[in-house]
């Protein structure tokens, strides 16, 4: 029997449980575990914590400036100041849209766009669901045609300027806050985990392929709070899918393994320059006071190679890091390596 997902005509929100809205409790669940948060807050490029990269929190006092690192003590604050967009105040939402062009996409649009990508890769229409306009009806089973399901799980996808990662996992509608059940989610990772669940019933094999699915997805954002939220949403979606499949909580050791993958695959980057945010700037001292000076020629001219530190990501097949910019020849002008060229085929 098919599982109908009937959307609200304006937002595409779940009609199954329209009263259930996203809240902060799932984030507290993982936020109270310092061993997980230490990994989720870590920046593999700077070997330090993520930085705020926004002035939205500076009213909180010392340590909340745009160039300050996000500390664990800020996360376990009872009020949990880092919240999904829906739980932010209206004024915060407006300022972030105005200052950082932050816009969130409703899941019915995410579904349409992810459907287009999958249909092109698989070679047939409606492999995951039937698009009903602003809602969708999941198929009884994913139909990958002649494509191998393992190949699909490992195929690389990326969400640029990912925000809270709505294209990677649709845990909730970012517009109206409605929680979307695991069975109805249509993000890139959600689809991969659905394929794994449909093809594997043993716990160890499921975990092996589910982790492979996480290794295949990438995303970056400028603002540190978004990077953290994206990592948390992916981890929570992984945990929730495991719990629905096996009826038990994901063991902490396995959650840490997922966090380690995410610390590489969801990273903080200035997407215009492909470097660590603010890394083109240098600290200068004058009369005992420090200031930041940007003497980068590329920042001034808009051309050439930036002087900032290039971001690196993990090629899990080779288990080696590569400069993200080199994938499109941005820094070197050279032809990308074969493995990276293969990766780029699925980037969108």
């Amino acid at each position: 029997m098919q599982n109908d997902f009937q959307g609200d005509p304006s937002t595409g929100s779940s009609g199954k449980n329209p009263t259930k809205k996203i809240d902060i409790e799932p984030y507290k669940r993982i936020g109270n575990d310092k061993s997980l948060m230490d990994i989720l807050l870590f920046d593999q490029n700077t070997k330090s914590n993520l930085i705020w990269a926004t002035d939205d929190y500076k009213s909180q006092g010392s340590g909340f400036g745009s160039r300050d690192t996000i500390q664990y003590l800020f996360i376990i604050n009872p009020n949990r100041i880092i919240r999904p967009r829906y739980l932010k105040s209206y004024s915060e939402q407006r300022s972030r849209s105005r200052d950082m062009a932050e816009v969130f996409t409703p899941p019915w649009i995410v579904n349409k766009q992810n459907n287009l990508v999958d249909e092109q890769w698989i070679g047939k229409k409606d492999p995951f669901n039937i698009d009903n306009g602003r809602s969708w009806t999941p198929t009884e089973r994913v139909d990958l045609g002649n494509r191998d399901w393992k190949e699909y799980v490992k195929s690389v996808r990326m969400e640029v300027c990912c925000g809270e990662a709505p294209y990677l996992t649709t845990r909730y509608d970012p517009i109206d806050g409605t929680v979307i059940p695991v069975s109805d989610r249509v993000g890139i990772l959600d689809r991969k985990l659905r394929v794994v669940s449909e093809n594997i019933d043993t716990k160890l094999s499921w975990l092996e392929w589910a982790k492979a699915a996480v290794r295949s997805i990438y995303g970056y954002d400028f603002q540190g709070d978004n990077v953290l939220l994206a990592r948390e949403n992916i981890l929570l979606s992984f945990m929730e899918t495991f719990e629905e499949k096996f009826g038990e909580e994901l063991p902490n050791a396995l959650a840490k393994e997922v966090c380690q993958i995410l610390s590489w695959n969801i990273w903080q980057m200035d997407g215009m320059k492909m470097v660590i945010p603010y890394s083109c700037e240098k600290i200068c001292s004058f009369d005992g006071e420090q200031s930041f000076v940007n003497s980068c020629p590329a920042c001034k001219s808009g051309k050439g190679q930036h002087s900032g530190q290039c971001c690196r990501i993990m090629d899990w097949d080779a288990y080696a890091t590569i400069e993200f910019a080199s994938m499109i020849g941005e820094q070197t002008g050279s032809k990308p390596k074969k493995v990276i060229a293969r990766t780029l085929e699925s980037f969108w």
Side-chain angles (χ1 to χ4, degrees):
M1 185 173 182
Q2 291 188 336
N3 186 13
D4 290 339
F5 179 95
Q6 297 298 330
D8 179 273
S10 61
T11 66
S13 301
S14 172
K16 282 190 167 184
N17 192 353
T19 61
K20 187 174 182 181
K21 302 289 184 177
I22 183 176
D23 58 39
I24 212 66
E25 291 309 312
Y27 299 94
K28 287 184 177 180
R29 173 186 172 188
I30 57 175
N32 289 334
D33 188 331
K34 188 175 185 298
S35 65
L36 295 181
M37 294 307 300
D38 283 345
I39 305 172
L40 291 175
L41 285 169
F42 191 70
D43 187 325
Q44 293 285 0
N45 283 284
T46 64
K47 302 307 177 185
S48 183
N49 278 11
L50 302 167
I51 62 173
W52 292 103
T54 174
D55 286 324
D56 286 356
Y57 303 89
K58 63 182 181 180
S59 62
Q60 299 287 332
S62 177
F64 291 86
S66 61
R67 292 171 177 79
D68 292 325
T69 55
I70 305 174
Q71 299 299 315
Y72 175 66
L73 290 177
F74 302 154
I75 304 301
I76 60 173
N77 181 299
N79 295 322
R80 172 71 195 215
I81 61 173
I82 297 181
R83 294 168 168 255
R85 180 180 174 87
Y86 174 73
L87 296 176
K88 291 181 172 75
S89 69
Y90 180 66
S91 61
E92 287 179 293
Q93 293 181 25
R94 289 195 61 185
S95 67
R96 290 172 74 96
S97 295
R98 181 185 64 247
D99 299 337
M100 301 298 293
E102 184 177 273
V103 178
F104 283 78
T105 310
W108 64 271
I109 292 181
V110 169
N111 183 56
K112 290 177 183 293
Q113 293 180 313
N114 282 346
N115 277 352
L116 288 173
V117 174
D118 280 335
E119 288 168 7
Q120 183 180 36
W121 191 91
I122 296 168
K124 67 190 306 293
K125 286 186 65 64
D126 306 326
F128 285 88
N129 59 72
I130 307 301
D131 183 358
N132 301 320
R134 298 201 175 194
S135 65
W136 59 89
T137 305
T139 54
E140 191 166 343
R141 186 177 175 87
V142 177
D143 183 359
L144 296 177
N146 295 323
R147 302 302 295 264
D148 181 68
W149 72 265
K150 294 180 179 179
E151 186 182 5
Y152 177 81
V153 170
K154 294 177 70 174
S155 62
V156 176
R157 303 285 190 272
M158 177 179 176
E159 182 178 2
V160 301
C161 303
C162 65
E164 297 169 17
Y167 280 86
L168 298 179
T169 178
T170 54
R171 290 189 61 245
Y172 53 85
D173 186 327
I175 309 302
D176 74 355
T178 303
V179 172
I180 299 177
V182 170
S183 58
D184 292 325
R185 295 175 186 174
V186 291
I188 295 169
L189 178 63
D190 304 323
R191 293 164 184 246
K192 289 170 177 281
L193 293 180
R194 178 183 170 187
V195 169
V196 173
S197 292
E198 287 183 357
N199 286 277
I200 292 179
D201 289 323
T202 61
K203 195 179 301 181
L204 288 178
S205 293
W206 188 95
L207 287 166
E208 175 188 352
W209 280 100
K211 286 186 290 184
V214 178
R215 286 193 290 268
S216 75
I217 60 169
Y218 293 82
Y220 67 82
D221 202 274
F222 186 90
Q223 298 172 116
D225 56 349
N226 276 349
V227 175
L228 177 61
L229 285 166
R231 291 175 175 181
E232 289 179 316
N233 280 334
I234 294 169
L235 173 62
L236 285 169
S237 195
F238 189 100
M239 296 168 74
E240 290 159 356
T241 306
F242 178 86
E243 289 169 11
E244 178 162 293
K245 174 72 174 177
F246 298 105
E248 61 185 79
E249 290 189 4
L250 183 72
N252 185 266
L254 293 168
K256 286 182 181 179
E257 290 184 36
V258 176
C259 290
Q260 289 287 358
I261 299 169
L262 295 175
S263 71
W264 279 108
N265 285 33
I266 309 297
W267 76 100
Q268 187 166 23
M269 182 174 75
D270 184 328
M272 299 297 291
K273 304 174 184 178
M274 300 187 200
V275 299
I276 295 169
Y278 308 129
S279 63
C280 287
E281 301 176 352
K282 294 183 178 179
I283 300 177
C284 296
S285 297
F286 183 76
D287 288 343
E289 294 188 3
Q290 290 186 337
S291 60
F292 294 89
V293 177
N294 189 338
S295 57
C296 172
C299 287
K300 295 180 178 180
S301 67
K303 300 178 181 179
Q305 181 174 333
H306 288 273
S307 61
Q309 181 180 340
C310 293
C311 291
R312 302 185 71 84
I313 62 173
M314 180 67 76
D315 174 2
W316 294 101
D317 286 338
Y319 209 82
T321 65
I322 53 172
E323 283 189 0
F324 177 74
S326 72
M327 296 169 59
I328 56 174
E330 183 72 18
Q331 297 294 330
T332 63
S334 61
K335 189 175 181 180
K337 297 178 181 179
K338 183 177 180 181
V339 64
I340 305 308
R342 184 180 71 244
T343 296
L344 283 171
E345 291 176 1
S346 298
F347 277 18
W348 55 281

